[in-house]
Short mmCIF file of all heavy atoms in Angstrom, two decimals:
data_model
loop_
_atom_site.label_atom_id
_atom_site.label_comp_id
_atom_site.label_asym_id
_atom_site.label_seq_id
_atom_site.Cartn_x
_atom_site.Cartn_y
_atom_site.Cartn_z
N ALA A 29 -7.61 -34.52 22.83
CA ALA A 29 -7.36 -34.90 21.44
C ALA A 29 -6.53 -33.81 20.79
O ALA A 29 -6.56 -32.65 21.22
CB ALA A 29 -8.67 -35.09 20.68
N ALA A 30 -5.78 -34.20 19.75
CA ALA A 30 -4.95 -33.23 19.02
C ALA A 30 -5.12 -33.47 17.53
O ALA A 30 -5.25 -34.62 17.08
CB ALA A 30 -3.49 -33.37 19.43
N PHE A 31 -5.11 -32.40 16.76
CA PHE A 31 -5.40 -32.44 15.34
C PHE A 31 -4.36 -31.66 14.56
O PHE A 31 -3.67 -30.79 15.11
CB PHE A 31 -6.79 -31.83 15.07
CG PHE A 31 -7.89 -32.43 15.88
CD1 PHE A 31 -8.23 -31.89 17.12
CD2 PHE A 31 -8.58 -33.54 15.44
CE1 PHE A 31 -9.24 -32.44 17.89
CE2 PHE A 31 -9.60 -34.11 16.20
CZ PHE A 31 -9.93 -33.55 17.44
N GLU A 32 -4.26 -31.95 13.27
CA GLU A 32 -3.40 -31.17 12.40
C GLU A 32 -3.91 -29.74 12.33
O GLU A 32 -5.12 -29.50 12.41
CB GLU A 32 -3.36 -31.78 11.00
CG GLU A 32 -2.64 -33.11 10.91
CD GLU A 32 -2.52 -33.59 9.48
OE1 GLU A 32 -2.65 -32.73 8.55
OE2 GLU A 32 -2.29 -34.79 9.26
N THR A 33 -3.01 -28.80 12.16
CA THR A 33 -3.39 -27.40 12.01
C THR A 33 -4.34 -27.24 10.83
O THR A 33 -4.07 -27.71 9.73
CB THR A 33 -2.14 -26.52 11.80
OG1 THR A 33 -1.29 -26.66 12.93
CG2 THR A 33 -2.52 -25.06 11.63
N GLY A 34 -5.49 -26.62 11.07
CA GLY A 34 -6.47 -26.39 10.02
C GLY A 34 -7.42 -27.53 9.78
O GLY A 34 -8.31 -27.42 8.92
N ALA A 35 -7.29 -28.65 10.49
CA ALA A 35 -8.12 -29.83 10.25
C ALA A 35 -9.57 -29.59 10.67
O ALA A 35 -9.85 -28.82 11.58
CB ALA A 35 -7.55 -31.03 11.00
N ARG A 36 -10.47 -30.26 10.01
CA ARG A 36 -11.89 -30.24 10.40
C ARG A 36 -12.03 -30.98 11.72
O ARG A 36 -11.56 -32.11 11.88
CB ARG A 36 -12.75 -30.89 9.32
CG ARG A 36 -14.25 -30.81 9.60
CD ARG A 36 -15.04 -31.47 8.48
NE ARG A 36 -16.47 -31.37 8.73
CZ ARG A 36 -17.25 -30.36 8.34
NH1 ARG A 36 -16.69 -29.35 7.67
NH2 ARG A 36 -18.53 -30.32 8.60
N LEU A 37 -12.70 -30.39 12.66
CA LEU A 37 -12.84 -30.97 13.99
C LEU A 37 -14.12 -31.81 14.10
O LEU A 37 -15.05 -31.62 13.30
CB LEU A 37 -12.87 -29.86 15.05
CG LEU A 37 -11.68 -28.89 15.05
CD1 LEU A 37 -11.86 -27.83 16.13
CD2 LEU A 37 -10.37 -29.64 15.26
N PRO A 38 -14.20 -32.71 15.06
CA PRO A 38 -15.41 -33.52 15.23
C PRO A 38 -16.65 -32.68 15.51
O PRO A 38 -17.77 -33.09 15.18
CB PRO A 38 -15.07 -34.41 16.43
CG PRO A 38 -13.58 -34.45 16.49
CD PRO A 38 -13.13 -33.12 15.99
N ASP A 39 -16.47 -31.52 16.12
CA ASP A 39 -17.59 -30.64 16.44
C ASP A 39 -17.04 -29.24 16.64
O ASP A 39 -15.84 -29.05 16.81
CB ASP A 39 -18.29 -31.12 17.73
CG ASP A 39 -19.71 -30.60 17.85
OD1 ASP A 39 -20.13 -29.80 16.98
OD2 ASP A 39 -20.40 -31.00 18.80
N ARG A 40 -17.91 -28.25 16.63
CA ARG A 40 -17.47 -26.90 16.94
C ARG A 40 -17.27 -26.76 18.45
O ARG A 40 -17.92 -27.44 19.25
CB ARG A 40 -18.48 -25.87 16.43
CG ARG A 40 -18.48 -25.75 14.91
CD ARG A 40 -19.43 -24.67 14.44
NE ARG A 40 -19.38 -24.52 13.00
CZ ARG A 40 -20.15 -23.69 12.31
NH1 ARG A 40 -21.03 -22.92 12.96
NH2 ARG A 40 -20.05 -23.61 10.99
N VAL A 41 -16.38 -25.87 18.81
CA VAL A 41 -15.99 -25.74 20.21
C VAL A 41 -16.62 -24.48 20.82
O VAL A 41 -17.06 -23.57 20.13
CB VAL A 41 -14.46 -25.67 20.35
CG1 VAL A 41 -13.83 -26.95 19.81
CG2 VAL A 41 -13.89 -24.44 19.64
N ASP A 42 -16.65 -24.46 22.16
CA ASP A 42 -17.20 -23.30 22.87
C ASP A 42 -16.24 -22.11 22.83
O ASP A 42 -16.67 -20.95 22.84
CB ASP A 42 -17.48 -23.67 24.33
CG ASP A 42 -18.49 -24.80 24.44
OD1 ASP A 42 -19.62 -24.63 23.95
OD2 ASP A 42 -18.13 -25.86 25.01
N GLY A 43 -14.94 -22.40 22.81
CA GLY A 43 -13.97 -21.32 22.80
C GLY A 43 -12.69 -21.73 22.11
O GLY A 43 -12.26 -22.90 22.19
N VAL A 44 -12.07 -20.80 21.41
CA VAL A 44 -10.77 -21.01 20.78
C VAL A 44 -9.77 -20.05 21.43
O VAL A 44 -10.09 -18.88 21.68
CB VAL A 44 -10.80 -20.75 19.26
CG1 VAL A 44 -9.43 -21.02 18.64
CG2 VAL A 44 -11.87 -21.60 18.60
N PHE A 45 -8.56 -20.56 21.69
CA PHE A 45 -7.53 -19.77 22.36
C PHE A 45 -6.37 -19.59 21.40
O PHE A 45 -5.72 -20.55 21.01
CB PHE A 45 -7.13 -20.44 23.68
CG PHE A 45 -8.26 -20.38 24.67
CD1 PHE A 45 -9.30 -21.29 24.61
CD2 PHE A 45 -8.31 -19.37 25.62
CE1 PHE A 45 -10.37 -21.20 25.48
CE2 PHE A 45 -9.37 -19.28 26.50
CZ PHE A 45 -10.42 -20.20 26.44
N GLU A 46 -6.15 -18.34 21.04
CA GLU A 46 -5.26 -17.97 19.93
C GLU A 46 -4.03 -17.21 20.42
O GLU A 46 -4.13 -16.24 21.17
CB GLU A 46 -6.02 -17.04 18.98
CG GLU A 46 -6.58 -17.69 17.74
CD GLU A 46 -5.53 -17.98 16.69
OE1 GLU A 46 -4.36 -17.65 16.91
OE2 GLU A 46 -5.90 -18.54 15.64
N SER A 47 -2.86 -17.65 19.96
CA SER A 47 -1.64 -16.85 20.09
C SER A 47 -0.85 -16.89 18.79
O SER A 47 0.21 -16.28 18.70
CB SER A 47 -0.78 -17.37 21.24
OG SER A 47 -0.41 -18.72 21.03
N VAL A 48 -1.37 -17.60 17.78
CA VAL A 48 -0.66 -17.78 16.51
C VAL A 48 -0.96 -16.64 15.54
O VAL A 48 -0.06 -16.10 14.90
CB VAL A 48 -1.01 -19.14 15.88
CG1 VAL A 48 -0.27 -19.32 14.55
CG2 VAL A 48 -0.68 -20.27 16.84
N GLY A 49 -2.24 -16.27 15.39
CA GLY A 49 -2.60 -15.15 14.54
C GLY A 49 -2.94 -15.53 13.13
O GLY A 49 -3.77 -16.41 12.88
N LYS A 50 -2.31 -14.88 12.16
CA LYS A 50 -2.71 -14.96 10.76
C LYS A 50 -2.79 -16.39 10.25
O LYS A 50 -3.69 -16.75 9.49
CB LYS A 50 -1.72 -14.15 9.92
CG LYS A 50 -2.14 -13.98 8.46
CD LYS A 50 -1.23 -13.00 7.75
CE LYS A 50 -1.70 -12.73 6.33
NZ LYS A 50 -0.86 -11.70 5.65
N GLN A 51 -1.86 -17.23 10.65
CA GLN A 51 -1.78 -18.60 10.13
C GLN A 51 -2.98 -19.46 10.53
O GLN A 51 -3.36 -20.37 9.80
CB GLN A 51 -0.48 -19.23 10.63
CG GLN A 51 -0.09 -20.53 9.95
CD GLN A 51 1.27 -20.99 10.44
OE1 GLN A 51 1.40 -21.53 11.53
NE2 GLN A 51 2.28 -20.73 9.64
N THR A 52 -3.57 -19.20 11.69
CA THR A 52 -4.64 -20.06 12.20
C THR A 52 -5.98 -19.35 12.36
O THR A 52 -6.97 -19.98 12.73
CB THR A 52 -4.24 -20.65 13.57
OG1 THR A 52 -3.92 -19.59 14.47
CG2 THR A 52 -3.06 -21.59 13.43
N TRP A 53 -6.04 -18.04 12.12
CA TRP A 53 -7.24 -17.27 12.45
C TRP A 53 -8.49 -17.75 11.70
O TRP A 53 -9.57 -17.87 12.28
CB TRP A 53 -7.01 -15.79 12.19
CG TRP A 53 -8.12 -14.95 12.73
CD1 TRP A 53 -9.17 -14.40 12.06
CD2 TRP A 53 -8.29 -14.57 14.11
NE1 TRP A 53 -9.98 -13.70 12.91
CE2 TRP A 53 -9.47 -13.79 14.18
CE3 TRP A 53 -7.57 -14.82 15.28
CZ2 TRP A 53 -9.93 -13.26 15.38
CZ3 TRP A 53 -8.04 -14.28 16.47
CH2 TRP A 53 -9.20 -13.51 16.51
N ALA A 54 -8.36 -18.02 10.41
CA ALA A 54 -9.52 -18.47 9.64
C ALA A 54 -10.07 -19.77 10.22
O ALA A 54 -11.29 -19.96 10.33
CB ALA A 54 -9.15 -18.65 8.17
N HIS A 55 -9.17 -20.67 10.60
CA HIS A 55 -9.59 -21.94 11.20
C HIS A 55 -10.27 -21.69 12.55
O HIS A 55 -11.27 -22.34 12.88
CB HIS A 55 -8.39 -22.86 11.37
CG HIS A 55 -8.74 -24.20 11.93
ND1 HIS A 55 -8.33 -24.61 13.19
CD2 HIS A 55 -9.46 -25.24 11.43
CE1 HIS A 55 -8.77 -25.82 13.42
NE2 HIS A 55 -9.46 -26.23 12.37
N SER A 56 -9.73 -20.76 13.33
CA SER A 56 -10.34 -20.46 14.63
C SER A 56 -11.77 -19.97 14.46
O SER A 56 -12.67 -20.37 15.21
CB SER A 56 -9.51 -19.40 15.36
OG SER A 56 -8.22 -19.90 15.70
N MET A 57 -12.00 -19.11 13.48
CA MET A 57 -13.35 -18.58 13.26
C MET A 57 -14.30 -19.66 12.76
O MET A 57 -15.50 -19.65 13.08
CB MET A 57 -13.30 -17.41 12.26
CG MET A 57 -12.53 -16.19 12.78
SD MET A 57 -13.32 -15.41 14.20
CE MET A 57 -14.72 -14.61 13.40
N ARG A 58 -13.79 -20.62 12.01
CA ARG A 58 -14.64 -21.73 11.55
C ARG A 58 -14.90 -22.75 12.66
O ARG A 58 -15.93 -23.42 12.66
CB ARG A 58 -13.99 -22.44 10.37
CG ARG A 58 -13.88 -21.63 9.09
CD ARG A 58 -13.56 -22.52 7.89
NE ARG A 58 -12.38 -23.35 8.11
CZ ARG A 58 -11.14 -23.00 7.79
NH1 ARG A 58 -10.93 -21.78 7.26
NH2 ARG A 58 -10.13 -23.80 8.00
N ALA A 59 -13.96 -22.85 13.59
CA ALA A 59 -14.03 -23.92 14.60
C ALA A 59 -14.96 -23.59 15.76
O ALA A 59 -15.44 -24.49 16.46
CB ALA A 59 -12.63 -24.21 15.14
N VAL A 60 -15.23 -22.30 16.00
CA VAL A 60 -16.02 -21.92 17.17
C VAL A 60 -17.53 -22.00 16.85
O VAL A 60 -17.96 -21.70 15.74
CB VAL A 60 -15.62 -20.52 17.65
CG1 VAL A 60 -16.02 -19.44 16.65
CG2 VAL A 60 -16.17 -20.23 19.03
N ARG A 61 -18.30 -22.41 17.83
CA ARG A 61 -19.76 -22.54 17.65
C ARG A 61 -20.43 -21.17 17.60
O ARG A 61 -19.86 -20.17 18.04
CB ARG A 61 -20.34 -23.35 18.80
CG ARG A 61 -20.21 -22.67 20.16
CD ARG A 61 -21.10 -23.32 21.20
NE ARG A 61 -20.85 -22.80 22.54
CZ ARG A 61 -21.31 -21.65 23.01
NH1 ARG A 61 -22.05 -20.85 22.23
NH2 ARG A 61 -21.04 -21.26 24.26
N PRO A 62 -21.66 -21.11 17.08
CA PRO A 62 -22.41 -19.86 17.16
C PRO A 62 -22.54 -19.41 18.62
O PRO A 62 -22.85 -20.21 19.51
CB PRO A 62 -23.78 -20.24 16.58
CG PRO A 62 -23.49 -21.38 15.66
CD PRO A 62 -22.39 -22.16 16.31
N GLY A 63 -22.26 -18.15 18.86
CA GLY A 63 -22.31 -17.63 20.21
C GLY A 63 -21.08 -17.92 21.03
O GLY A 63 -21.03 -17.56 22.22
N GLY A 64 -20.07 -18.55 20.43
CA GLY A 64 -18.85 -18.90 21.15
C GLY A 64 -17.88 -17.74 21.21
O GLY A 64 -18.18 -16.61 20.81
N VAL A 65 -16.68 -18.03 21.71
CA VAL A 65 -15.71 -16.98 21.96
C VAL A 65 -14.34 -17.37 21.42
O VAL A 65 -13.95 -18.54 21.47
CB VAL A 65 -15.62 -16.67 23.47
CG1 VAL A 65 -15.16 -17.89 24.26
CG2 VAL A 65 -14.72 -15.50 23.76
N VAL A 66 -13.63 -16.39 20.87
CA VAL A 66 -12.22 -16.54 20.49
C VAL A 66 -11.43 -15.57 21.36
O VAL A 66 -11.68 -14.36 21.34
CB VAL A 66 -11.99 -16.23 19.00
CG1 VAL A 66 -10.51 -16.39 18.66
CG2 VAL A 66 -12.83 -17.14 18.12
#
């Protein structure tokens, strides 16, 4: 599945993979589950 940048996801994910940085970081931290990894 693919979503708009910053969109609310159906569920939190186990891991987020980042190469964008400042523009997406807040969303990455919100998207990962407790105990997950970025």
